[in-house]
Amino acid sequence: MARNSLATMQGMVEVEQQLQCEKAIAMYRQLPNVLIFTFVASSALALYFQEAASQSSLLLWWGSMQLVSLLRLGGLWWWHQSLRQQHQNYTQMIRLFMLGALVSGGVWASFSVAYFNDAPAAQRLVIALVMATIAAGSINVLMLVPWVGRLFMALLIGPLVVLFATTGAMDDLVVAGLSLALFIGLSGFARVSRDSALHLFAAARDKDRSIAIALSQRDELARAKDDLELRLAEQIETLQFEIALKERYAQELARVASSDPLTGLLNRSSFERELRQQIEMARANNSCLGVLAIEVLRFDVIELQGAVVSEQILLVLADRLKGAMPRGSLIARWGGSEFAVTMSTQGRKWVHEAALLRGVLQQPIETGAGVMRIDVMIGISAFPGEARDAEQLLYQTSIARHSLRQQGTGGVKLFDLALDVGIQQRQRLRRSLHSALEADELSLVFQPIEPCGTSAPRKMEALLRWDEPELGAISPLLFIPVAEESGLIVPLGRWVLMSACKAAAQWSGDAVVSVNVSIHQILGGDLLADVNAALKSSGLAPERLEIEITESVFSHDIDLVCSVLEQIRALGVSLAIDDFGTGYSSLAYLRRLPVNIIKIDRSFIADLDHDARKLLLAIVGMARGLGFRIVVEGVETEQQRNLLVAMGVDYLQGYLISRPISARNVAGWLSAPNSLNA
Ligand code: C2E
Ligand code: MG
Ligand code: MG
């Protein structure tokens, strides 16, 4: 409420100031005309009366009038100065103007008073005319301050009314009356003209205000527009930045999504996508396209050197592939140590080209762990050929590579349908193997391992047999890997352990049963528990059980393997390394395992020329020196037997001594004397 009335008062003060300003402007705008008119009228009057009045008094009057005009001219100058300096006090200026007007009115009045009585009738009328004219002319401006206007008119007309009225002449009385009427009329006219002036001022003010409001609104709008444009520009800039950022992210995401994080090569999904396009192009152009699936041989062994070395090798291989493959080839890391590339070659020299690539990849690699050599398996499939699309092409490369993996050697293999048949067979085996255990299709045979010239306990190696109803007898060399791949090896191995221990428990004497165990029974199962269960259930003394494990243990978590084997060894069970010499381990490396027997692979005695003998002798000597007992496998000839006996190996196993025999014949075998001790 108080705030509203304060605002109203402020508004009123502003309006009053505005009014004063308008009045002052109207007055001072008229002042030059007033001064000119005053000069002309006063000069004309003075000249006209120069014969009727004394010169000096006229000059004094005229001089006074000019002095007043001069002072008012000074006021006008001051007005303009203050306008220019913008610190006007309008009320003061109006007062000054009015003072000048009243003084000038006084000087005019003094003329009537001074010269009226001596003037003839005509001159008196001239005086009246001049005064009336001045009064009428000034009314417009002076009436803006009513009392000043009235006083000014009273000064000019009042003395004349009195003077004309007091001459006694009838004519003068009429003039006095007319002058009075003029005074009254002018007063009325002045009021009306003042009202209309104020009205005009108000209208002008309203107009000015409207214009000012319109202008300020226009300015405000212009400012708002500028502001809006600025914000819009900022928003657009931000938006553009964000769009650019998003595009960059999208590109980066696409790049990350389509590439292998380690090598920067294509990843599997982007390779497959682009391969489909290349196949379409090859189809359209009637050209050939080869897909190579490359895998580092025994990379699991390399990984034992640590992640840094493995990654170094993968990066070098990626670089070599990039360098070796022609432009337009797709190069991808498939995962792990597997890569895939496409190539188009004239004359379908796929195998030749792949062999060259293998040569490049086989070059020694400098790593943090020293110079390393790797080998690769390269499976190839070609389009057009047996495959119709990318999926089939990739399937065929993996079949071709798989066949190399089965052989366990590096090399190059072009897909052919026979390979696929092999794969199909394996899949069939896998399906059948599931039911083999329940269907009682599995059995054990035993192959004697005879001590040479000692009274050490005789041994029997339990070997698994599978009599598949449709396919007949299937070699463990075929179905054991299938069982390992499918995880079936764990229940299968458990069954072998149990059956072998039960069989051995029936044997008379201290004959040992030797059971082959897969590394997958340690990693994927609980071998210790299986051994314990087999011993407990059969009642076989632990010393009569021997576990054979191949050197592949070294390519897995060696600490875990050691700990399991140590616990088995602690039971009193013997541990043998089977097929010694075919894997990657050295004798010194073997000492990490709690193994006490090594079984030298039959490949060492297959062709016993001079060098082979020396090598065998060295191995035997070293193994003996390290405290291992030595079994030699695959003894087929007398010559081999004699040589091995002469070398002093502990046990011999092979067709010469005996082929694997059925379980029911073991008792008979053991009851006969050991031929090696004969
Ligand atoms: P292995 O453990 O080295 O077994 C010896 C293999 O060599 C047997 O083949 C045996 O019949 C054969 N052999 C023995 N003496 C001679 C010989 O003088 N000349 C030739 N040429 N061969 C001989 P088999 O029974 O076919 O077994 C092959 C492989 O299958 C075994 O090699 C073993 O690694 C695996 N295996 C067999 N049974 C089992 C089992 O119950 N569990 C596991 N995990 N693997 C088994
Ligand atoms: Mg064996
Ligand atoms: Mg063996």
Side-chain angles (χ1 to χ4, degrees):
M1 191 74 171
R3 196 177 297 161
N4 281 350
S5 59
L6 192 70
T8 315
M9 277 172 65
Q10 275 178 351
M12 284 165 65
V13 170
E14 273 173 26
V15 169
E16 186 54 36
Q17 274 181 353
Q18 181 78 21
L19 189 64
Q20 294 295 82
C21 164
E22 284 157 356
K23 282 181 184 174
I25 289 169
M27 288 170 184
Y28 280 94
R29 199 179 284 157
Q30 284 294 346
L31 191 54
N33 294 332
V34 170
L35 293 179
I36 291 167
F37 180 76
T38 303
F39 176 73
V40 172
S42 63
S43 301
L45 212 55
L47 284 173
Y48 185 55
F49 276 80
Q50 66 180 335
E51 283 176 12
S54 90
Q55 297 274 332
S56 56
S57 78
L58 265 177
L59 201 62
L60 182 68
W61 177 84
W62 183 84
S64 308
M65 183 58 87
Q66 303 320 312
L67 183 66
V68 172
S69 291
L70 213 60
L71 288 171
R72 295 187 76 187
L73 195 63
L76 182 63
W77 176 82
W78 189 20
W79 161 254
H80 281 295
Q81 283 306 108
S82 64
L83 269 188
R84 212 167 291 147
Q85 287 161 12
Q86 302 223 326
H87 46 73
Q88 313 86 342
N89 184 339
Y90 298 114
T91 312
Q92 205 176 17
M93 294 310 294
I94 289 170
R95 278 188 195 140
L96 189 68
F97 184 91
M98 291 303 164
L99 183 67
L102 289 178
V103 173
S104 141
V107 178
W108 284 116
S110 71
F111 189 89
S112 303
V113 172
Y115 303 113
F116 183 87
N117 285 333
D118 298 335
Q123 284 185 334
R124 285 180 178 178
L125 282 175
V126 168
I127 293 172
L129 189 66
V130 169
M131 296 304 158
T133 308
I134 292 168
S138 62
I139 206 75
N140 262 352
V141 175
L142 293 181
M143 267 309 159
L144 291 173
V145 183
W147 69 268
V148 176
R150 271 188 219 104
L151 189 57
F152 184 78
M153 281 195 299
L155 281 172
L156 264 74
I157 298 172
L160 287 173
V161 173
V162 174
L163 288 169
F164 275 111
T166 52
T167 56
M170 193 57 200
D171 291 344
D172 287 347
L173 204 58
V174 172
V175 174
L178 284 173
S179 298
L180 192 61
L182 178 71
F183 177 79
I184 295 164
L186 280 178
S187 292
F189 173 71
R191 199 170 50 250
V192 173
S193 90
R194 174 181 170 268
D195 287 349
S196 49
L198 289 180
H199 188 72
L200 276 176
F201 285 161
R205 209 162 41 240
D206 284 349
K207 194 175 128 211
D208 284 354
R209 199 176 300 135
S210 304
I211 289 171
I213 289 170
L215 283 176
S216 91
Q217 280 176 346
R218 192 196 64 184
D219 289 351
E220 218 164 281
L221 276 173
R223 269 200 305 278
K225 183 177 148 251
D226 288 350
D227 194 40
L228 212 67
E229 278 176 357
L230 196 75
R231 273 194 294 174
L232 208 66
E234 280 173 7
Q235 297 265 338
I236 288 171
E237 206 175 315
T238 316
L239 219 64
Q240 281 172 341
F241 179 72
E242 278 177 8
I243 289 170
L245 207 67
K246 270 192 187 138
E247 274 172 7
R248 257 216 325 274
Y249 280 151
Q251 281 169 4
E252 188 60 18
L253 266 176
R255 197 187 63 73
V256 168
S258 67
S259 63
D260 170 55
L262 176 68
T263 58
L265 298 176
L266 294 175
N267 62 16
R268 192 183 188 124
S269 58
S270 51
F271 180 86
E272 283 178 356
R273 194 176 50 243
E274 294 195 28
L275 176 64
R276 276 183 214 110
Q277 292 171 5
Q278 287 205 344
I279 288 174
E280 287 315 312
M281 275 167 60
R283 209 191 300 272
N285 303 338
N286 244 346
S287 58
C288 297
L289 182 72
V291 178
L292 279 60
I294 304 161
E295 183 179 352
V296 179
L297 187 71
R298 300 299 304 270
F299 193 69
D300 45 1
V301 177
I302 293 168
E303 279 177 320
L304 292 175
Q305 304 284 336
V308 177
V309 173
S310 316
E311 285 183 2
Q312 261 181 330
I313 289 174
L314 292 174
L315 286 169
V316 169
L317 293 180
D319 277 350
R320 287 183 183 172
L321 284 174
K322 278 190 250 177
M325 299 310 295
R327 270 176 82 85
S329 294
L330 302 177
I331 310 171
R333 178 164 170 237
W334 211 245
S337 66
E338 295 174 46
F339 297 87
V341 297
T342 60
M343 65 162 62
S344 43
T345 178
Q346 298 295 320
R348 294 170 168 262
K349 295 182 193 156
W350 308 114
V351 174
H352 174 71
E353 294 287 340
L356 290 179
L357 185 63
R358 183 181 170 209
V360 171
L361 298 177
Q362 279 175 322
Q363 298 295 313
I365 299 173
E366 196 85 51
T367 71
V371 176
M372 300 196 66
R373 286 172 189 279
I374 56 110
D375 198 355
V376 290
M377 303 172 272
I378 304 182
I380 314 164
S381 69
F383 177 88
E386 306 300 338
R388 285 184 308 280
D389 56 28
E391 281 67 32
Q392 287 183 358
L393 209 56
L394 288 171
Y395 169 75
Q396 292 177 358
T397 50
S398 62
I399 297 287
R401 189 193 45 189
H402 190 75
S403 73
L404 291 168
R405 214 190 266 160
Q406 292 295 298
Q407 293 168 16
T409 56
V412 171
K413 189 88 187 168
L414 181 62
F415 172 81
D416 65 56
L417 277 178
L419 288 177
D420 200 18
V421 172
I423 296 287
Q424 306 291 349
Q425 270 177 358
R426 287 166 74 84
Q427 279 172 353
R428 189 169 166 229
L429 284 187
R430 186 175 306 165
R431 282 195 299 274
S432 312
L433 201 53
H434 267 279
S435 53
L437 255 178
E438 286 89 50
D440 210 19
E441 292 164 14
L442 297 169
S443 62
L444 290 180
V445 292
F446 296 89
Q447 186 176 28
I449 305 170
E450 296 285 35
C452 300
T454 64
S455 57
R458 297 168 82 178
K459 298 184 189 183
M460 289 286 180
E461 180 174 2
L463 294 165
L464 191 55
R465 294 292 174 259
W466 181 20
D467 201 9
E468 215 270 349
E470 286 175 23
L471 301 172
I474 301 170
S475 162
L477 291 171
L478 265 181
F479 72 80
I480 293 290
V482 173
E484 285 177 332
E485 277 165 24
S486 62
L488 262 178
I489 191 69
V490 175
L492 209 64
R494 193 178 296 136
W495 180 86
V496 171
L497 257 172
M498 189 66 81
S499 308
C501 287
K502 277 184 179 165
Q506 306 302 315
W507 303 337
S508 58
D510 56 357
V512 170
V513 67
S514 193
V515 178
N516 293 285
V517 160
S518 159
I519 178 70
H520 296 275
Q521 285 172 261
I522 297 176
L523 302 174
D526 188 348
L527 184 63
L528 179 64
D530 292 347
V531 168
N532 265 320
L535 290 174
K536 198 170 167 204
S537 154
S538 63
L540 187 74
E543 295 72 31
R544 293 184 58 202
L545 175 64
E546 188 174 294
I547 299 290
E548 291 186 21
I549 192 143
T550 62
E551 287 165 311
S552 64
V553 289
F554 290 108
S555 50
H556 296 89
D557 183 351
I558 193 71
D559 291 333
L560 171 76
V561 173
C562 272
S563 120
V564 173
L565 293 182
E566 265 159 17
Q567 291 175 75
I568 292 172
R569 186 86 183 86
L571 296 174
V573 174
S574 300
L575 289 177
I577 283 289
D578 201 357
D579 304 340
F580 177 80
T582 55
Y584 284 80
S585 59
S586 68
L587 273 168
Y589 206 32
L590 261 191
R591 295 191 70 196
R592 285 193 63 187
L593 289 178
V595 166
N596 48 343
I597 300 153
I598 62 164
K599 293 184 77 177
I600 297 173
D601 190 69
R602 64 187 162 89
S603 57
F604 284 87
I605 58 162
D607 180 17
L608 275 175
D609 61 8
H610 180 65
D611 284 348
R613 272 182 217 191
K614 272 170 63 178
L615 179 62
L616 190 63
L617 204 60
I619 293 173
V620 169
M622 217 182 306
R624 189 168 297 289
L626 290 167
F628 293 113
R629 269 177 291 139
I630 303 157
V631 180
V632 179
E633 300 178 284
V635 184
E636 292 180 348
T637 64
E638 299 278 344
Q639 187 207 5
Q640 287 169 332
R641 182 190 63 186
N642 296 339
L643 188 80
L644 291 165
V645 169
M647 278 184 186
V649 301
D650 300 294
Y651 286 90
L652 295 183
Q653 179 183 13
Y655 291 166
L656 179 73
I657 291 111
S658 168
R659 286 192 173 252
I661 53 178
S662 65
R664 63 175 179 277
N665 293 334
V666 174
W669 174 270
L670 288 174
S671 62
N674 174 2
S675 61
L676 293 179
N677 288 344

